[in-house]
């Protein structure tokens, strides 16, 4: 009421009547705006604002990295008539990557609100100290999460995120395409291309959030630009498409170069390659390894750890 604004889907696409599931899978702006209206009518402005704050918008995520800003979330008293309808499609507010990942990761984490961190462990003379994850409460019930997981997986199976698919790995996620704000409002020629996803769905272990600032190749939709990059990273992580060779009649992974990696990194790489046994000599970073680089991966990794040294020579100023 009181608004003379038309919300359309991209390039005049018409989805028709959509269920909530279909609206998410098809990334339907019109239906998403209507969901915003229902939330407003149910909660009112103040409580809608509080709920946006609860999921981390307009406040620091708590990530262990200096320089984070809280983003932009206008107080309810400062909302325009269109604000509650803009927010669900990502306009009228400003959110950083850490806030988005923290909010979206409630789905793979079973509803828990977990602060992102860059530090997994600290190595000292007393050994390795793991940093516990910081859980800031529970946002969603297990029932709500179990409802959303198949919807987010369907985005990748049949919706706007099909270019994020990787054979053999169950992936759930969501595409996004956001106009960039500038002087005078939103620019219809510059965009952020986005894809958020987690995998494997049956045991969520990894989250990737891809954001391409102003794609240059013509296409700019998240499903066409960010989703393929997501899939490429997943394939590299699992070694899918990585060169294999025939060794004694069977296919085998080629041994990667572990030089310079920490023991934590080696353990993760071993897990990806399906190696359960790691033989360790010394401490520090990898300075030697078995099997050698490029040789077939066997049933164990053996690594020699130590301090890295660098051979610095005078190159004549070149």
């Amino acid at each position: 009421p009181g608004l003379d604004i038309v919300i359309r889907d991209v390039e005049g696409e018409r989805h028709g009547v959509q269920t909530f599931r279909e609206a998410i899978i098809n990334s339907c702006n019109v239906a998403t705006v209507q969901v915003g209206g229902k939330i407003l009518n149910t909660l009112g402005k103040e409580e809608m604002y509080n709920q946006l704050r609860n999921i981390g918008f307009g406040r620091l995520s708590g990530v262990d990295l200096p320089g984070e800003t809280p983003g932009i979330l206008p107080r309810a008293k400062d909302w325009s008539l269109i604000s509650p309808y803009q927010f669900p499609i990502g306009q009228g507010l400003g959110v950083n990557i850490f806030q988005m990942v923290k909010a979206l990761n409630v789905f793979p984490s079973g509803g828990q609100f977990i602060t992102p961190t860059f530090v997994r462990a600290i190595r000292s003379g007393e050994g390795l100290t793991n940093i516990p994850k910081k859980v800031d409460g529970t946002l969603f019930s297990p029932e709500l999460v179990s409802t959303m997981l198949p919807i987010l997986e369907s985005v990748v199976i049949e919706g706007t995120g099909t270019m994020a698919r990787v054979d053999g790995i169950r992936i759930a996620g969501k595409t996004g395409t956001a106009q960039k704000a500038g002087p005078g409002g939103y620019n219809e020629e510059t965009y952020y291309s986005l894809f958020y996803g987690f995998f494997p769905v049956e045991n969520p272990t990894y989250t990737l959030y891809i954001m391409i600032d102003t794609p240059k190749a013509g296409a700019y939709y998240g499903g066409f630009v960010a989703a393929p990059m997501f899939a490429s990273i997943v394939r590299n992580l699992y070694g899918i498409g990585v060169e294999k060779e025939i060794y004694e009649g069977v296919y085998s992974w080629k041994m990667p170069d572990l030089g310079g990696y920490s023991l934590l990194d080696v353990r993760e790489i071993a897990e990806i390659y399906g190696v359960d046994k790691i033989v360790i000599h010394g401490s520090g970073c990898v300075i030697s390894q078995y099997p050698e680089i490029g040789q077939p991966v066997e049933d164990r990794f053996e690594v020699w750890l130590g301090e890295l040294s660098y051979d610095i020579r005078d190159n004549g100023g070149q």
Side-chain angles (χ1 to χ4, degrees):
L3 292 176
D4 187 20
I5 296 174
V6 177
I7 301 293
R8 296 185 176 89
D9 283 304
V10 295
E11 298 180 353
E13 185 173 358
R14 297 176 183 271
H15 291 120
V17 177
Q18 298 274 283
T19 64
F20 177 78
R21 175 184 180 276
E22 291 168 337
I24 298 297
I25 292 172
N26 296 323
S27 202
C28 179
N29 285 340
V30 174
T32 304
V33 166
Q34 291 176 330
V35 170
K38 287 183 178 295
I39 294 173
L40 175 67
N41 293 335
T42 302
L43 301 180
K45 286 202 307 183
E46 286 293 339
E47 185 57 25
M48 187 175 181
Y49 168 80
N50 290 336
Q51 291 300 323
L52 289 169
R53 290 273 298 179
N54 285 343
I55 63 174
F57 295 169
R59 58 192 179 99
L60 298 177
S61 70
V63 66
D64 50 351
L65 191 70
E68 183 189 9
T69 61
I72 300 170
L73 177 64
R75 294 187 177 276
K77 65 181 180 62
D78 298 322
W79 289 5
S80 68
L81 287 175
I82 197 175
S83 292
Y85 304 92
Q86 284 182 302
F87 295 157
I89 58 172
Q91 294 190 345
L93 74 172
V95 181
N96 67 47
I97 289 177
F98 304 115
Q99 291 168 324
M100 285 297 295
V101 169
K102 185 174 182 177
L104 291 168
N105 267 358
V106 298
F107 299 114
S109 68
Q112 290 185 319
F113 199 37
I114 300 174
T115 300
T117 179
F118 278 84
V119 179
R120 183 173 50 188
I122 297 175
R123 184 186 299 278
S124 67
E126 299 177 355
L128 195 67
T129 303
N130 291 318
I131 304 299
K133 66 180 180 181
K134 183 180 178 183
V135 180
D136 296 331
T138 300
L139 280 187
F140 298 151
S141 67
E143 292 76 19
L144 177 57
V145 171
S146 65
T147 298
M148 286 300 300
L149 284 179
I151 295 176
L152 294 173
E153 187 173 9
S154 293
V155 170
V156 178
I157 295 172
E158 59 180 288
T160 55
T162 55
M163 296 185 77
R165 285 188 300 194
V166 176
D167 290 343
I169 300 172
R170 292 177 60 194
I171 295 169
K174 183 68 184 75
T175 57
T177 307
Q179 290 177 322
K180 295 184 67 172
Y186 286 95
N187 189 326
E188 295 187 2
E189 297 182 357
T190 58
Y191 296 84
Y192 292 111
S193 177
L194 311 163
F195 186 82
Y196 161 85
F198 56 88
F199 56 95
V201 171
E202 63 273 21
N203 180 30
T205 305
Y206 301 101
T207 288
L208 290 175
Y209 186 89
I210 308 295
M211 182 180 74
I212 311 299
D213 186 348
T214 318
K216 304 295 185 184
Y220 55 84
Y221 298 130
F224 292 126
V225 179
M229 181 175 290
F230 176 97
S232 176
I233 294 172
V234 174
R235 282 192 290 268
N236 286 333
L237 179 63
Y238 281 89
I240 298 172
V242 175
E243 184 180 2
K244 295 181 179 181
E245 65 177 15
I246 296 179
Y247 177 69
E248 293 184 353
V250 297
Y251 282 98
S252 173
W253 298 118
K254 286 187 175 182
M255 186 67 183
D257 182 0
L258 302 178
Y261 282 112
S262 70
L263 183 56
L264 283 173
D265 296 326
V266 172
R267 292 188 190 281
E268 286 199 351
I269 294 169
E271 182 179 351
I272 292 170
Y273 280 74
V275 175
D276 296 324
K277 184 177 180 181
I278 304 175
V279 180
I280 304 160
H281 305 276
S283 62
C285 296
V286 176
I287 56 175
S288 185
Q289 67 180 67
Y290 177 85
E292 295 180 357
I293 301 166
Q295 295 301 306
V297 171
E298 300 180 6
D299 61 350
R300 78 181 196 278
F301 283 179
E302 189 165 0
V303 293
W304 286 261
L305 309 178
E307 296 296 325
L308 294 177
S309 62
Y310 299 90
D311 185 10
I312 302 176
R313 295 184 173 91
D314 183 358
N315 62 4
Q318 297 181 9

